[in-house]
Each structure stands twice: as structure tokens, then as C-alpha cells.
Amino acid sequence: SVAMAALFLRGLLVFLFAQACLSEEAAKEFTFPTVDLEGVSIRGILGVDELLIVLNKWKQEGTELEQKKEKCQEIYDGLTKAADAPHDVFNGVRLFATLCKKALDAEGDAQVKALDIALGKREYLLKALKRVVEKAETVAEQMETNMKQMAEMEKAKAAQAAAAGAAGDSDDEDIDMDDDEDEDLDEEI
């Protein structure tokens, strides 16, 4: 019974160790893809997908006031979400989000004018994104390095667990032997 349990534990440890090795290999190979944001090649870190959606939304035509409001609201939401990423790479896009929010909050003829101004800033956003390419590259490299280090730590933990499991199995056998000898001594006395 003890031998069967030890065999099961060894099999479990081998399985866990194999999984740790596979996840380490996957982490070693992981890199953030490069995304083209209309002429701006930038690493696909958190927030880039929102910017891609915003830029595509910004291209859509709409001349009616309600269409402009809806477009401006979606741009505001996307830019805010990109700026709220844990890194600070896209904090500058908050300026464009603020322009959209002010345009949405305005009323009457002032709103029409503010919406046209806010929606006319697309090229400025692209120019701002060109300025953060290097910073995004640095963040992507740091995140990749962190993932590799975490995979290595997981591998080391799995190896320690496997070693501790193997050492624990031999200790269990010694304890059982000692218990049998103690029982024999008790019977003689």
C-alpha cells in the first residue's frame, strides 16, 4: 500500500515537472507581436488593441450629429481604456479622450463645433503614437523578460518539489521500518 502510494506520487511529480517544462518552453518563445497602427509599427502590449479599434472607428464616415456623438463616445471609451493600462505608455492619449469628452458635454452649436474639432485630431493621435514606439518596445521587452523569469522560477519550484518528493518517499520507508522494529521490541518486553 505504501509502495503503491509512493509510485503514484512519483508519477504525479513527473507529470507536474513535465507540465512546468512545457510552460517554460512556451514562455521562452513568447514575444509580443508587432502591430501596424496605420503606418506606426508598435509592439502589441496592453492597450494597443483598443487603439486599433479606435483608429478604425475614427475612419468611419458620419455627418449626422448623432453619428458624430456615437463615434466620439466610442473613441473616448477606447482611448480611456488604452490609457488605463497598467503601464504608462499610452497616458498621452488621454488628451484626445478629454477632447472627445468635452465635445460630448457641450451643447448646441458649440457641441457641433467641438465634435468636429475632436474628430479632426486623428492625425495628431497617430503622431503621438509614433513618439511612444520606443517606450512600448521597452515595456514589451521587460514583460517578456519577466515571463521568462517566472517560467524559470516555476521550473526550479517543480524540481525542488520533485526532489523533496523523492526524499520524502525514502523517509516514509525508513519510518515504517522503524515502527516495525519498535513493535517487535514491545512484544518481547
Side-chain angles (χ1 to χ4, degrees):
S1 172
V2 173
M4 291 298 282
L7 184 61
F8 173 75
L9 286 175
R10 286 184 185 138
L12 181 62
L13 289 174
V14 168
F15 173 75
L16 293 174
F17 182 73
Q19 278 190 327
C21 290
L22 288 176
S23 62
E24 175 198 356
E25 291 301 317
K28 281 184 178 178
E29 295 173 10
F30 178 80
T31 58
F32 286 97
T34 301
V35 179
D36 182 46
L37 295 176
E38 300 188 29
V40 180
S41 294
I42 193 165
R43 296 287 291 275
I45 59 176
L46 193 61
V48 169
D49 51 345
E50 284 85 7
L51 292 172
L52 187 60
I53 292 168
V54 163
L55 289 171
N56 286 331
K57 184 67 179 175
W58 217 316
K59 279 196 268 186
Q60 295 176 357
E61 294 296 320
T63 56
E64 299 294 321
L65 180 61
E66 288 305 313
Q67 291 173 332
K68 288 181 181 182
K69 284 182 181 179
E70 181 182 328
K71 183 177 179 179
C72 209
Q73 181 65 49
E74 289 178 16
I75 290 170
Y76 168 76
D77 293 340
L79 291 177
T80 301
K81 190 172 179 182
D84 287 342
H87 54 73
D88 63 346
V89 174
F90 302 123
N91 281 350
V93 302
R94 231 180 265 284
L95 172 70
F96 300 99
T98 302
L99 283 173
C100 288
K101 185 65 175 167
K102 286 181 181 178
L104 290 167
D105 291 343
E107 294 182 13
D109 290 339
Q111 185 178 39
V112 173
K113 185 176 179 181
L115 285 170
D116 288 339
I117 290 171
L119 295 174
K121 299 292 184 181
R122 186 172 183 279
E123 295 304 316
Y124 292 103
L125 175 63
L126 288 171
K127 187 176 180 181
L129 291 176
K130 287 178 185 175
R131 292 181 180 164
V132 297
V133 169
E134 288 180 29
K135 194 172 184 181
E137 180 70 28
T138 302
V139 168
E141 288 173 359
Q142 288 173 345
M143 292 173 78
E144 290 166 356
T145 301
N146 289 345
M147 289 180 72
K148 289 175 186 173
Q149 289 174 345
M150 286 174 46
E152 289 172 6
M153 287 176 23
E154 289 297 321
K155 182 180 178 184
K157 284 181 185 178
Q160 286 177 345
D169 290 343
S170 63
D171 289 344
D172 288 343
E173 293 172 1
D174 291 342
I175 291 172
D176 290 341
M177 291 178 156
D178 292 342
D179 289 342
D180 293 338
E181 291 174 10
D182 291 340
E183 289 176 12
D184 293 338
L185 291 176
D186 290 337
E187 290 176 8
E188 292 176 10
I189 297 179

